[in-house]
Amino acid sequence: MNKIAAMGLAGVLAVASTAAMATKPEDAIDYRQGVFSAIKWHFGTMGAMVKGKMDYDAEDFARRAEIVAQLSQLPKEGFIEGSYSGDTDALPAIEENWDKFEGGMNMLAENTAKLAEVAASGDMDQIRPAFGEVGKTCKGCHDNFKD
Ligand code: HEC
């Protein structure tokens, strides 16, 4: 690496670490709650379709499933040190059992990706169980880690 590139990289790293240090707990809380609200927005409509409370629109369902799969990768980084008190329902158990919590986040990402995959098929017989698995993943984590 030449000197100028090295200086550029050092600058990027300095900016990145400043951004990480500057993250306030209340911003992290807003961030993850906002992402979960967006997940719920789409997942709720998908649930209404799965339960037959709303007409099943395969294209719209698949679009939402794709969005939920993408969004599900986002909340994890919002669970930072010092963000388990204040205006939050996240329990300190998250910090104490980080591996388990992280496992739940990874499972969410995996199961929502599977749901997006079967949603593209438009086959409700496959979609229903995949949707149920995601729902269980939400509940499993909330039971342990959300007030
Ligand atoms: C691995 C853990 C985990 C999984 C999986 C999970 N959540 Fe959550 N969820 C949390 C935690 C922790 C909070 C509390 C966040 C806070 O208040 O800071 C939360 C909060 C929420 C909220 C409230 C947001 C707000 O505005 O306060 C909603 C809605 C929500 N989750 C929906 C879902 C849905 C729907 C799924 C599944 C598709 C899901 N969650 C999966 C851990 C999880």
Side-chain angles (χ1 to χ4, degrees):
M1 197 185 298
N2 67 38
K3 203 173 162 197
I4 292 175
M7 278 163 53
L9 181 61
V12 168
L13 293 176
V15 170
S17 68
T18 309
M21 280 188 313
T23 304
K24 289 190 251 147
E26 54 268 39
D27 291 343
I29 292 169
D30 279 352
Y31 166 74
R32 68 203 185 201
Q33 289 180 343
V35 174
F36 279 126
S37 297
I39 290 175
K40 183 187 167 197
W41 173 272
H42 295 286
F43 199 63
T45 301
M46 291 163 68
M49 288 191 210
V50 170
K51 287 171 198 141
K53 290 181 186 157
M54 230 176 112
D55 286 343
Y56 172 55
D57 175 338
E59 200 178 305
D60 185 56
F61 189 96
R63 180 184 70 89
R64 292 178 192 279
E66 199 57 58
I67 293 170
V68 168
Q70 295 292 328
L71 290 174
S72 291
Q73 299 178 22
L74 303 182
K76 192 171 89 178
E77 73 178 78
F79 290 92
I80 63 167
E81 208 183 324
S83 68
Y84 303 99
S85 58
D87 195 9
T88 177
D89 291 328
L91 298 175
I94 292 169
E95 241 175 354
E96 293 149 17
N97 303 277
W98 181 257
D99 289 351
K100 188 176 174 198
F101 181 77
E102 191 174 36
M105 279 289 160
N106 292 341
M107 203 192 291
L108 180 69
E110 264 173 49
N111 289 341
T112 54
K114 266 184 224 152
L115 178 57
E117 208 178 296
V118 298
S121 75
D123 176 4
M124 194 42 88
D125 288 343
Q126 289 184 58
I127 290 170
R128 197 171 285 109
F131 181 89
E133 281 306 310
V134 174
K136 266 191 248 165
T137 312
C138 313
K139 187 174 183 306
C141 184
H142 289 173
D143 286 349
N144 288 314
F145 295 116
K146 182 173 173 290
D147 201 358

